[in-house]
Amino acid sequence: MSDFKTLKFLDRFQGLFRTLNIEYPILRKILETKLTLDQRRVPTILNDGKKREGNQFIRSLWIYVLFSLILLPFLLIGDQYIYQMTFVFSIIMFFLLTAMISDFSTVLLDVRDKVTLDTKPIHKRTINAAKVIHISIYMFFIVGALTAVPLVVGLMTRGFVFFLLFAFQMILIALWTIMATALVYMLVLQFLDGEKLKDVINYVQILLSIGMIVGTQLVARSFEFVNLDIVMQPQWWQFLLPPFWYSALFEVLLHDGGNRFYLILSGLGIVIPILSIMLYIYFIPSFERNLEKLLNSSQSRQKKRNPWYVWMGKIWSRGKESNHLFHFALNMMKNEREFKLKVYPAFIFAIVIPFLFILNEIRFRNLQEVSDSYYYLTFYGTLIFLSTAAQMLLYSEKYKGAWIYGAMPISDPNIITKGALKALFVHLYIPVYIIVGMIYPFIFSMGILYHFIPLGLTAFLYVVISYRVLNGEQLPFTQPFGIGQKDSALKNILLLIFVALFGGLHYAATLLPYGVLIFCVILLIANMIVWKITFRENRNRALV
C-alpha cells in the first residue's frame, strides 16, 4: 500500500489522538486502507465513464480551481464585505455541500465497516474517528482547491488580516458542512428504518439540493441597489443562512461594523460548528446503532397501481403493448433512486422558477402592474427541467437488464421510447403544469388559463426534441449513470434557446387577432409531424 502524505502529516498529531482515547495505529491502518480503495473511485464531478489511472479525486481538483476563478471579481471590486463575502461563501458552500451529498454521503452511511471491523477488538470511537477524518481529508483538498487562488488574491489586494480571516472562516465552513450533513442523517436514521429509510435518505439528499438553490436565491434577495450602493436590510431569516454568519465577521473586524446584528451573525458562525461537533460526538453511539437499519432489507411488495396512472396510461397508449411499456417506464422512474436524485431537484426548481421571476419583478413594480403585463409567459420556465429529465431517461442503475428489450416480443422498438417519454410527461411535467396553472390565475386573472393550452402543447413537443437531441436513438434505461453525460452542455444551451423561442412566439401570437388559437393549431401540427418523424417505424433496428 502507498504511504500517503496525509497520513504522515497526521502522524504528528498521534499524541492528541491518544489523549482522546483513540487507538492511533489502528486508526492509521483503517485510513490507509480506505484511501487505497478510494483510488479506484471516480468522483461525481469527473464521472464521464472513461477509465483513468491513478487517484481520480486528486485529478478532479483542477475543476474546483477553475470554478474558484468566479470568486475573484467579488474579491477585487468594492469594499462592502457583507455583500462580497456573502456571495463568495455562498458559492463555496454550494460546491462543498454538493460534494458532500454526492460523493461523501456514502462514506458517512457506510455500513461495510460494521461487517468487517465490528468482529475485531477495535473501539467504536476509533472507527468513527476514522470515518470523520477520512471525509475531512477530502474536504481539506476541495477547500484548498476552491480557495487557494482567492486566498492569494485576497492576500495581495486586501492584506494579511483579510487572508487569515478568510482561511479561518474556511476551516469553520468545512467543519459546519460535514457536521450539518451528518446531523441530518442522524435525525433521519433515528426515526426510520429499512427500505423506507433508504428512500427517505434519497429525499433528504434532494431536499438538501433544493435548500441550496433556495438559499442562494434568498442570499441574492438580501441586497438592494440604492443610489448605486448595495444595501442590505437586516431580516430575521438571515440568521438562518450560513453565508451571512461568516461574511459578518469581516464587517466587524475590518470595517468597524460592530453593530449588534453583525456581532450575532459572527457569533453563530463560530458557535454552531462547535455545537455541531459536540452534538455529533454525543450522538455517535446511537448513530452507529441506527446505521444497522441500513443492513435490513424488507421484502419487496407488490403495490397497487395508482388509478391516476392507470387512467393516464389508457389515454396516452394505443394497445396493450404500448400501455405495458408506459407503466414499465413509470415504475423505473418511481423506483430508481439515482434518477430521482438527479431529476427531482430540477423538478422542484421548475415549479419555483416562474414565481422567482415574478418576485424579482415585484421588487421594481407593484403586483397590479405585474398582473396586467405579459409576465404570465414566465410559465415557460417550467420547461427548462424537461431537457434534464429527458436526458436522464437514458440512464439506469440496472442498465444491464436492458437485455429484456431483446427478449420481449416488441413489434416496434420505437414504442419503448415513446412510452417512456409519455410516462415522463405524465409523471413529472403534468404535476408542475397543474400546480402553476392553479396559482397563476390568482396572480394574473382567470383569463390567462387558455394560454396554458399552447404551454402544454409546447412541453409535449419539447420533451421529444430534448430526448432526440441529447440521447439520439438510444433506448431508455440502457446506460449506466455517468456515461455520456459529457459534451451535453452546448446541446442544453441550444435547448434553452428553444424555450425562449417558444415563449417569444407565444408573445407574438398574443399581438394578433386569434393569434393564440392559430399558435395552438401550429403546435398541434408540429407535434404530429415531429413525433411521427422521430419515431418512424424501423423493425430492423437493434434493441440493445
Side-chain angles (χ1 to χ4, degrees), residues 508-539:
T510 61
L511 303 176
L512 302 172
Y514 305 105
V516 176
L517 182 62
I518 296 168
F519 187 45
C520 288
V521 173
I522 292 171
L523 284 172
L524 195 62
I525 295 170
N527 264 293
M528 293 167 66
I529 294 172
V530 171
W531 278 79
K532 184 73 177 177
I533 292 174
T534 305
F535 298 113
R536 277 178 294 197
E537 193 171 346
N538 182 5
R539 293 174 189 275

Side-chain angles (χ1 to χ4, degrees), residues 495-510:
L495 288 167
L496 284 178
I497 294 173
F498 262 106
V499 174
L501 178 66
F502 284 125
L505 289 173
H506 191 149
Y507 170 73
T510 61

Side-chain angles (χ1 to χ4, degrees), residues 245-274:
W245 305 345
Y246 299 102
S247 58
L249 195 57
F250 286 86
E251 287 289 337
V252 172
L253 296 181
L254 301 180
H255 264 178
D256 193 24
N259 64 54
R260 193 166 61 176
F261 184 72
Y262 289 150
L263 285 172
I264 294 173
L265 284 172
S266 305
L268 287 173
I270 296 170
V271 170
I272 289 184
I274 295 170

Side-chain angles (χ1 to χ4, degrees), residues 326-342:
F326 173 88
H327 285 286
F328 167 75
L330 203 57
N331 287 334
M332 291 294 289
M333 283 186 275
K334 289 163 71 177
N335 294 322
E336 289 255 339
R337 293 192 175 99
E338 190 74 14
F339 178 86
K340 288 190 281 189
L341 182 60
K342 292 183 182 299

Side-chain angles (χ1 to χ4, degrees), residues 104-117:
F104 301 118
S105 287
T106 50
V107 179
L108 264 180
L109 302 171
D110 191 1
V111 289
R112 290 174 300 177
D113 285 357
K114 301 191 76 61
V115 177
T116 55
L117 298 178

Side-chain angles (χ1 to χ4, degrees), residues 404-416:
I404 194 73
Y405 291 143
M408 289 166 68
I410 298 173
S411 58
D412 178 7
N414 286 321
I415 298 175
I416 300 169

Side-chain angles (χ1 to χ4, degrees), residues 182-208:
L183 288 172
V184 169
Y185 286 136
M186 278 183 175
L187 188 67
V188 175
L189 283 164
Q190 187 69 31
F191 297 105
L192 298 169
D193 57 11
E195 287 297 314
K196 195 173 182 181
L197 173 63
K198 293 175 185 175
D199 286 334
V200 171
I201 286 174
N202 195 219
Y203 291 130
V204 168
Q205 291 168 337
I206 292 164
L207 286 174
L208 285 172

